[in-house]
Amino acid sequence: MDTEALKKSLLKKFQEVTADRLQKIQLGVIDLEKETAEQAADDVARELHTMKGEARMLGLAAIGQLAHAAEDVLRAEREGKTATETATDVMLRACDVLSDLLEDLDAAHTGTSATEEMVKALSEVSGHPVPALGPVRKPAASAAPPVAPPKVVAPPPAATPAVAAASSAVAAMPPAQAAPVAPPSAPAPSPAPAKEDEAPNPAKASSIADRSIRVNVEVLDSLGLLAGDLLVESARGRLRSTETAQLFERFSRLGDRFLRISEDVEVPDAVRTELERAEADLHMLRDDAFRFVRRNGDGINTLHGNLAQLADHVAEARLVPLSTVFDAFPRAVRDIAKTQNKEVDLIIENADIGVDRSMLADVRDALVHLLRNAVDHGLESPDFRQQMGKPDTGRIRIRVRVDGDMLHIEVEDDGRGMDTDRLKQVAVNKRLLSPVQAAALSEREAIELIFRPGFSTRETVSELSGRGVGMDVVKRKVETLGGSVGVTSRQGRGTTVTLRLPQSLALMKVLLVRLGDDVYGMPAADVVAVMRIKPDDRMEVFGTLAVRHRGKPTALVALGPLLGLNGGNRFDKPPAVVVRHGDDYAALVVDGFVDEREVAVKPCGGEFLKGAPFIAGTAALEDGRIAVLLHVPDIMTEVRRMARPVTQAPASRRLRVLLVDDSPIARATEGALVKALGHSVEEAQDGEEAYAKVQTNTYDLILTDVQMPKLDGFSLTRRLKGTPAVARIPVIILSSLASPEDKRRGLDAGADAYLVKGELGVESLAQSIDRLT
């Protein structure tokens, strides 16, 4: 096999993807000086971490070293050890050097004087020394890991990088032979290399090229949307055909009534003759109408079938073999393992299964994190494995399979597994949980701690891990695609991480349900069953309303109120949809069922739905209505947090609450939540105004934002707790700042509770208020 051709193709992919990633990093670095600094820092950290991992996979040591040094600068800036302006300047200069290295991959392997100077500058700013860049030895061709050649020779590359970055190849051949080439965010596979002992066949190559064309990615996306719209329009045509048939039936019945009346009425012979002619014409018209309805119905059904086939072919054309991502993994795992003196055998199964082109980049990023964690955290050293009676060589297995419309990707290792007691202790040490909360966690809940931002079991930051950036990225990316992440682990035996996500995002089978007069859709892959909830089926589990499904208690929640809609259960035996996300189940009560069908999913447009919680997109229906498609992972997260109790708590007294926030929208939203709990609300626009009001009025509770002019929330809390007359008033901080450091600052200032705005709900707010008052 021509390993040099494979290596060049992988490097080309890295150049294209990293150029886009570098642009995101520069924009995020600039945002560090703005109000969105916290989110920008998280985004930059994730991009740098992924860039570093990919660079080390390909042996681009200089890029990996620069990204590592930049991570240290970002960490120092977030901890307040480095001025933001200084960190921003030096990181932007580092982006320029990284951009130069992308253009000269030889320098990216060995480094340059500019690289050394940049690393030194980054180290001086962060205060963390970076190991010197050692000599890089290019591996011999025989040492390269074997990679199965693609089944199809892709079309020749574009003449220029600009053209290659702007277009994608779609093979105009049967689906079993065609493999579209992905855009920059999902790079294309390299041409299949010829065997060393086999001369290339020009005639064969020419034949494949004659059956292949390049198609712009945007054109392919437009075709997908158009095919979905045409499919909906053909469904509307079927509906109109049915309505036309009903109209002709009414005319036929009216004609029969006319004939019966004419038989009972005495009329002159001349009129009788005209009536007989009219009767003959009526029978002829009825026959012609019947034939028209039949031909029209057959034509509409044929058209609908052809359009459905077209939509399937377009969706299939968007699928890219996962081998375009997996080809880089054997070398990557080998290089990572060698840095830790470990031996790893990577096994990949069913890499030829396709995934939607638009999902390829997110799937790749998620798997990069999983493989790095498996080598670094999962697999033991050879000496330790010998002591445990295991083979010296660790094993990582990637399995891919398709279950209906869903894609399952399992990453399994035979390493040490997860120590749940240690996970709990780490969470307590990092102040993510109190000791009491940690002790109450089940084994599964303890394992899910790894998905928390900032969580890491590494006590020191290393080249590979320790920054708490990893599994939270995997979970966020997969759930954004409408999927879920599951983890199973046995201590001493290994860990398996399962990604479950849709294979295609162009067309989706959904179950349509009714809430009031509106139609909502849920991905059929997330629906386990539909049922009617009988009064005797309800039960209480730890104060939460539940229903028994397949022998297990399942949380029972009214979907309308959960989405913020009016109404609720209006039936003695309400219909419900049992949905699943990972290992969690819930029965969502709805007002009725509409249908199950395949729809073309479109992103939310305009400001009305864009960014709304629980909403994944929209779909047009044949009757002209728009169905709102729900995002089941978000719903399940809310269900876990806000499962409705069976019994209402005793009526508490009406509290007088002071709400402090400089945002009018935030005050309106938070005030509505407090009022929904039956309390009265007064408002203040900043900390100074709030402190003045406390001197002249009596309050039972104070809710305050953090980032405000004049006097921020932390300073206000310290001033309140330092004033004896008002020090006993409970203070709850409501902030979008969600890092453990920010929460610690709030509690150190004297706050009685710290709630994150993005996670705020009626139930969580009620629990905090009840506890403090």
Side-chain angles (χ1 to χ4, degrees):
M1 172 180 289
D2 187 356
T3 55
E4 286 300 319
L6 174 61
K7 180 181 177 182
K8 289 180 180 179
S9 70
L10 296 178
L11 291 174
K12 181 65 177 176
K13 296 174 189 178
F14 177 79
Q15 284 178 304
E16 293 173 344
V17 174
T18 305
D20 293 337
R21 179 165 284 125
L22 198 56
Q23 183 65 25
K24 294 179 182 178
I25 291 174
Q26 294 183 74
L27 294 175
V29 169
I30 294 173
D31 286 342
L32 290 178
E33 298 178 337
K34 301 180 181 178
E35 294 181 358
T36 57
E38 186 68 25
Q39 181 61 43
D42 291 340
D43 295 340
V44 172
R46 286 193 294 270
E47 298 294 345
L48 282 173
H49 205 65
T50 303
M51 179 195 295
K52 182 183 69 175
E54 292 177 346
R56 295 189 184 281
M57 284 180 174
L58 296 174
L60 305 177
I63 293 180
Q65 186 187 42
L66 267 176
H68 178 73
E71 280 187 307
D72 287 335
V73 172
L74 182 63
R75 184 162 170 252
E77 189 275 335
R78 298 181 74 173
E79 294 176 351
K81 300 177 180 178
T82 301
T84 300
E85 184 177 355
T86 303
T88 300
D89 291 341
V90 73
M91 290 183 70
L92 288 176
R93 283 162 38 208
C95 288
D96 294 337
V97 176
L98 285 169
S99 181
D100 293 339
L101 291 176
L102 281 180
E103 299 296 327
D104 184 0
L105 292 183
D106 288 336
H109 278 287
T110 60
T112 64
S113 58
T115 305
E116 295 176 359
E117 293 175 1
M118 193 68 253
V119 169
K120 182 178 179 181
L122 291 168
S123 300
E124 291 175 352
V125 172
S126 66
H128 291 278
V130 176
L133 183 63
V136 177
R137 181 177 61 85
K138 295 186 178 180
S142 60
V147 180
K151 293 184 178 180
V152 177
V153 177
T160 65
V163 175
S167 64
S168 171
V170 179
M173 56 183 73
Q177 300 175 350
V181 178
S185 60
S190 61
K195 295 182 180 179
E196 294 180 1
D197 57 350
E198 180 181 331
N201 188 339
K204 181 178 180 181
S206 176
S207 174
I208 293 177
D210 290 342
R211 293 183 286 115
S212 303
I213 61 172
R214 285 188 177 274
V215 178
N216 190 292
V217 174
E218 295 180 355
V219 173
L220 186 61
D221 290 341
S222 298
L223 281 176
L225 293 175
L226 181 60
D229 290 340
L230 289 175
L231 196 60
V232 172
E233 189 58 39
S234 69
R236 290 174 179 166
R238 296 173 72 176
L239 183 61
R240 290 193 295 267
S241 178
T242 302
E243 293 174 348
T244 302
Q246 293 172 349
L247 286 175
F248 282 136
E249 283 291 332
R250 292 173 60 188
F251 275 116
S252 179
R253 290 195 299 270
L254 184 62
D256 290 339
R257 289 176 59 190
F258 169 73
L259 293 177
R260 286 195 300 269
I261 292 174
S262 66
E263 291 175 356
D264 297 336
V265 176
E266 294 292 336
V267 294
D269 292 341
V271 177
R272 175 63 61 185
T273 301
E274 290 298 325
L275 286 174
E276 291 175 352
R277 292 177 180 173
E279 181 179 357
D281 289 342
L282 187 60
H283 286 305
M284 188 179 299
L285 177 61
R286 183 155 47 190
D287 291 342
D288 291 342
F290 173 76
R291 285 192 290 270
F292 168 78
V293 168
R294 186 178 61 187
R295 288 196 305 270
N296 184 61
D298 291 343
I300 289 292
N301 289 333
T302 301
L303 176 63
H304 186 77
N306 290 338
L307 289 175
Q309 191 174 11
L310 171 64
D312 289 341
H313 285 328
V314 172
E316 191 171 359
R318 291 168 57 93
L319 298 182
V320 180
L322 280 169
S323 57
T324 60
V325 171
F326 290 173
D327 284 348
F329 289 163
R331 171 69 184 276
V333 170
R334 175 179 176 273
D335 290 347
I336 295 174
K338 293 197 75 168
T339 62
Q340 300 191 353
N341 297 320
K342 295 179 180 179
E343 299 177 5
V344 181
D345 182 18
L346 177 64
I347 303 171
I348 301 177
E349 301 177 1
N350 299 328
D352 57 338
I353 291 178
V355 66
D356 195 299
R357 175 195 59 78
S358 61
M359 300 167 53
L360 198 63
D362 288 332
V363 172
R364 180 193 62 237
D365 290 348
L367 290 175
V368 166
H369 289 295
L370 292 182
L371 289 175
R372 186 177 60 246
N373 283 349
V375 176
D376 187 31
H377 292 274
L379 298 180
E380 310 94 335
S381 64
D383 294 340
F384 190 82
R385 291 179 66 87
Q386 284 183 354
Q387 297 176 11
M388 297 292 293
K390 296 182 178 181
D392 292 354
T393 301
R395 187 188 71 246
I396 299 177
R397 187 188 303 272
I398 301 178
R399 295 191 187 94
V400 184
R401 62 183 177 89
V402 176
D403 182 10
D405 295 331
M406 300 299 288
L407 189 69
H408 292 250
I409 304 178
E410 294 181 358
V411 179
E412 175 191 89
D413 68 70
D414 65 345
R416 60 173 57 89
M418 296 186 185
D419 185 345
T420 54
D421 291 335
R422 182 165 181 252
L423 293 176
K424 294 178 183 179
Q425 188 58 49
V426 170
V428 172
N429 294 342
K430 292 181 176 291
R431 298 191 180 183
L432 298 176
L433 296 174
S434 67
V436 175
Q437 292 172 322
L441 292 180
S442 64
E443 180 177 350
R444 178 189 158 202
E445 290 171 334
I447 291 177
E448 289 183 347
L449 289 172
I450 64 175
F451 295 118
R452 295 209 178 189
F455 185 89
S456 176
T457 56
R458 282 280 186 268
E459 296 180 358
T460 58
V461 176
S462 68
E463 291 282 312
L464 286 177
S465 60
R467 290 172 171 82
V469 179
M471 293 304 296
D472 63 315
V473 176
V474 174
K475 189 171 188 291
R476 187 180 302 109
K477 285 184 178 293
V478 173
E479 291 188 349
T480 299
L481 297 173
S484 61
V485 181
V487 180
T488 58
S489 182
R490 295 178 63 186
Q491 192 169 350
R493 301 290 296 274
T495 300
T496 300
V497 181
T498 303
L499 310 183
R500 182 175 179 268
L501 62 165
Q503 189 176 16
S504 175
L505 298 180
L507 293 174
M508 182 182 296
K509 287 184 179 179
V510 299
L511 173 67
L512 299 177
V513 300
R514 184 171 51 81
L515 291 174
D517 296 328
D518 298 321
V519 178
Y520 291 79
M522 301 180 197
D526 294 327
V527 176
V528 177
V530 295
M531 59 191 304
R532 288 273 181 180
I533 306 298
K534 301 176 183 178
D536 295 340
D537 294 337
R538 294 181 174 90
M539 64 182 68
E540 180 184 352
V541 180
F542 299 114
T544 297
L545 188 64
V547 63
R548 186 172 296 280
H549 173 68
R550 296 178 181 175
K552 296 182 178 180
T554 302
L556 181 63
V557 180
L559 183 58
L562 185 70
L563 299 178
L565 305 176
N566 293 328
N569 178 18
R570 301 194 300 270
F571 309 98
D572 293 333
K573 300 178 181 178
V577 182
V578 181
V579 296
R580 172 194 174 189
H581 175 62
D583 296 327
D584 294 320
Y585 293 81
L588 305 177
V589 177
V590 297
D591 291 340
F593 305 118
V594 178
D595 196 3
E596 182 183 11
R597 67 188 65 176
E598 195 169 48
V599 298
V601 180
K602 294 186 177 181
C604 299
E607 298 298 327
F608 179 64
L609 289 177
K610 189 174 182 180
F614 315 123
I615 306 301
T618 60
L621 304 179
E622 65 270 18
D623 59 2
R625 289 184 294 178
I626 300 296
V628 176
L629 303 182
L630 300 176
H631 192 241
V632 173
D634 287 349
I635 290 178
M636 292 301 298
T637 299
E638 190 68 12
V639 167
R640 287 194 297 267
R641 187 166 55 237
M642 297 178 58
R644 184 177 54 183
V646 173
T647 57
Q648 298 295 327
S652 57
R653 65 187 180 92
R654 182 180 176 88
L655 304 177
R656 190 178 184 186
V657 180
L658 176 61
L659 177 59
V660 191
D661 201 310
D662 61 325
S663 168
I665 296 177
R667 291 200 304 272
T669 303
E670 295 155 7
L673 291 177
V674 177
K675 291 176 183 177
L677 297 174
H679 307 304
S680 64
V681 178
E682 289 187 26
E683 298 179 358
Q685 297 184 12
D686 55 61
E688 289 286 1
E689 181 182 354
Y691 189 76
K693 286 193 172 188
V694 169
Q695 305 306 311
T696 57
N697 299 294
T698 302
Y699 299 101
D700 301 302
L701 180 70
I702 297 174
L703 303 177
T704 178
D705 186 22
V706 171
Q707 296 173 321
M708 297 181 295
K710 297 184 181 179
L711 190 66
D712 64 29
F714 294 152
S715 301
L716 172 63
T717 302
R718 280 191 291 268
R719 184 180 294 185
L720 290 171
K721 295 302 181 179
T723 306
V726 296
R728 297 179 62 86
I729 302 177
V731 177
I732 298 178
I733 289 181
L734 299 177
S735 175
S736 57
L737 304 177
S739 70
E741 292 79 8
D742 292 317
K743 293 181 180 180
R744 185 161 54 249
R745 289 177 61 196
L747 298 177
D748 291 343
D752 299 278
Y754 192 111
L755 301 179
V756 180
K757 288 184 177 181
E759 303 172 356
L760 187 63
V762 173
E763 198 70 16
S764 59
L765 181 61
Q767 291 175 357
S768 297
I769 293 177
D770 291 343
R771 177 173 60 84
L772 297 176
T773 59

